[in-house]
């Protein structure tokens, strides 16, 4: 019997990567998974579909004049999608820059690298409960 389709959609944005492929985890929790490797494509995807969960990276870029990372563009769009939860992976060394961003733009949860898979599973199980109830 094929995997059950629950209607839950997860958008995984992997710009730099360097961590395990969590797609099997996402799928085991009943998510349809869409992977994008460029923020521009992810933003285009959001014009067509609204995911229940977005997993993205905070990649601090000091050379940006008006923002700290491409994550800011994503979070600005997601503000108009109240039913979408964003989970962000980030480098501990950039915690202060990430915290400044979180003050301005909401993030559901964040996990530092290396990402703890059991913690990620618990977060996703929590979003599944909040998305369905």
């Amino acid at each position: 019997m094929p995997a059950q389709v629950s209607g839950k959609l997860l958008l995984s944005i992997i710009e730099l990567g360097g961590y395990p492929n969590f797609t099997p985890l996402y799928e085991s929790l009943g998510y349809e998974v869409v992977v994008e490797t460029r923020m521009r494509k992810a933003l285009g995807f959001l014009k067509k579909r609204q995911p229940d969960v977005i997993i993205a990276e905070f990649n601090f870029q000091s050379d940006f004049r008006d923002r700290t990372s491409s994550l800011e563009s994503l979070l600005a769009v997601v503000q108009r999608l109240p039913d979408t939860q964003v989970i962000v992976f980030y480098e501990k060394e950039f915690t202060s820059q990430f915290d400044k961003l979180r003050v301005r733009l909401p993030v559901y949860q964040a996990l530092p690298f290396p990402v703890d898979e059991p913690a990620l599973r618990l977060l996703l199980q929590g979003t599944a409960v909040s998305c369905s109830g």
Side-chain angles (χ1 to χ4, degrees), residues 1-58:
M1 181 173 210
Q4 100 181 44
V5 177
S6 64
K8 297 186 301 182
L9 177 62
L10 185 145
L11 173 60
S12 175
I13 306 168
I14 305 172
E15 293 180 287
L16 296 180
Y19 50 89
N21 176 1
F22 292 118
T23 298
L25 168 65
Y26 307 149
E27 290 174 341
S28 76
L29 294 171
Y31 287 97
E32 171 192 347
V33 179
V34 173
V35 177
E36 293 292 354
T37 57
R38 298 192 189 283
M39 189 59 72
R40 186 174 292 133
K41 288 191 174 217
L43 294 172
F45 176 83
L46 292 175
K47 292 178 181 176
K48 296 178 236 159
R49 295 187 67 192
Q50 180 177 344
D52 298 287
V53 177
I54 298 172
I55 308 265
E57 305 161 353
F58 174 73

Side-chain angles (χ1 to χ4, degrees), residues 22 25 111 115-125:
F22 292 118
L25 168 65
L111 293 170
V115 174
D116 181 67
E117 187 171 335
L120 178 58
R121 175 182 292 279
L122 286 173
L123 288 179
L124 289 169
Q125 288 171 328

Side-chain angles (χ1 to χ4, degrees), residues 39 43 46 54 67 69-82 86 101 104-107:
M39 189 59 72
L43 294 172
L46 292 175
I54 298 172
R67 43 194 180 120
S69 87
S70 59
L71 181 63
E72 287 185 59
S73 301
L74 174 76
L75 294 175
V77 169
V78 171
Q79 282 186 307
R80 298 185 299 248
L81 307 173
V86 179
L101 172 63
R104 293 183 292 117
L105 296 164
V107 170

